[in-house]
Amino acid sequence: MRYISTRDNSLQHTASQAIVRGLAEDGGLLTPFYIPKLPGKALEDLKAMAYQQRAVYIMKMFLEEFSIKELTDFANAAYGPEKFDSPAVAPVHTVDGNTHCLELWHGPTCAFKDMALQMLPHLLTASLVKTEEEKTVCILVATSGDTGKGALEGFKNVPRTKILVFYPKDGVSQVQELQMVTQEGNNVGVAAVVGNFDDAQTGVKKLFSNEKVRRDLERKGYFFSSANSINWGRVLPQIVYYISAYCDLLRDEKIEPGQSVNVCVPTGNFGNILAAYYAREMGLPIDQLICASNSNNVLTDFIREGVYDRNRKFYNTMSPSMDILISSNLERLLYSLTQDPAEVRHYMARLNEVGRYQVSGKVKDKLQKRFKGYFCDDRETQRVIREMYDRHGYLIDTHTAVAFSALEQYRSETGDNTPAIVASTASPFKFCGSVLEALGESQIAEGLDALDQLTAKTGQPAPAPLAGLRNKRVRFTQVVEKGHMADAVMSLLE
Ligand SMILES: *Cc1c(COP(=O)(O)O)cnc(C)c1O
């Protein structure tokens, strides 16, 4: 299968080239030329398999150059019991008869980024060999919190890789920051950027296209790549868990073969929900894709009005991993809906020049047929956390709560009670402060003591990787202005 740029489909690459590059040479996103269809009895077959085998089966459909043996080794290493604290890897928790929560945070950093970032280093190092690349890959990450830690943990000590993470100084939770600045490994670097996530992301994008930085790097034997969700190696492993969740529901006889489900995803960069869209394109019986946002509701407006407009107030919310105004992966959806690279190029140029574009009537119709957009503010987020805990004894984090709010709004507006899969993207212990407040605590303990407070309140233990932070040494303290990220790269590579 070939991978093309969303902005020019004469730019073509193999899967391994796409994974090594991260981004197309024209700034577009590398995307499969077509989405393969699941064979007729695939779901029946997958139903009986473990998560790792499901991952091999699905990923192989997109990665012809990789053997079953290779992919099996990758899946066993990425999703094994040393990494995930649930044998199901991504278990489905049924909240009530037709509401199912897909828990994507059982990995080493307690957020859904692990689902892809435990797999990506295996795909990338094998791709370096397949493409005969001899330089060391320097992975640059801009993070709203969870990607950074996920990437650091996935790539630490992986030969022939360096990983540098930039996070917004005041845009991440205390636990998230501690997770990153205490990162172990001989090939890792972390710096805080003065600004918000978009500043960090824009800074990283500029580094990628900075010719001088590129040349300096090359002289040192490095080249840049990306572990942000624009890399195809990030999106692909995410398709697996939607198909897996459906198979679990089939296996447990919670749905009938062929029955449609809706999927609701708390969304930031549009990577996670895009994976659900691709699962649907492959033939998974998904009816509606419900896109949940916080007060940074640029996607809600886009879905409702067909106008993407990033010129708006930016909010720091209690669901910081969704505090994003430029959803990079939306470009892949635009390509899928238009099948026209020139049209995508036009929209992206508008976004770049004036921060706003309006899609054609045809694209808007297609978009609205498949996607529904809802958002909620912090107060509603906390109401949902409390209600979920009081009614069902089920503890959820702030991002997951935004998704449950969106589902509730969708159901009451449409009366559609189709079984729904809600993506749960982080452990509630990652966002202790907000969760404790939601549960009615007025005094929140500082730093890691909040973990104990949440345990005392709910009787649930904190995940081991978070509890273990207490004994870790802070290794990284650098804070950079957004204009000085190139210097930071050079100093971290010394
Ligand atoms: C990254 C993240 C999101 C947003 O996912 P996208 O793929 O960027 O849309 C939501 N919740 C959590 C906890 C995250 O870490």
Side-chain angles (χ1 to χ4, degrees), residues 106-137:
H106 289 274
T109 78
C110 310
F112 95 95
K113 304 297 194 290
D114 289 329
M115 301 304 302
L117 284 167
Q118 285 298 315
M119 176 57 73
L120 181 66
H122 298 286
L123 294 174
L124 182 60
T125 44
S127 297
L128 289 175
V129 175
K130 287 182 205 295
T131 55
E132 300 181 3
E133 175 58 63
E134 282 173 355
K135 291 192 285 299
T136 292
V137 56

Side-chain angles (χ1 to χ4, degrees), residues 111-113 146 266-272 321-322 397 399 425-426 431:
F112 95 95
K113 304 297 194 290
D146 295 327
T267 306
N269 232 348
F270 209 77
N272 200 359
S321 301
M322 298 155 68
D397 93 293
H399 304 76
T425 50
F431 301 94

Side-chain angles (χ1 to χ4, degrees), residues 48 281 297 326:
E281 293 289 288
N297 57 358
I326 303 179

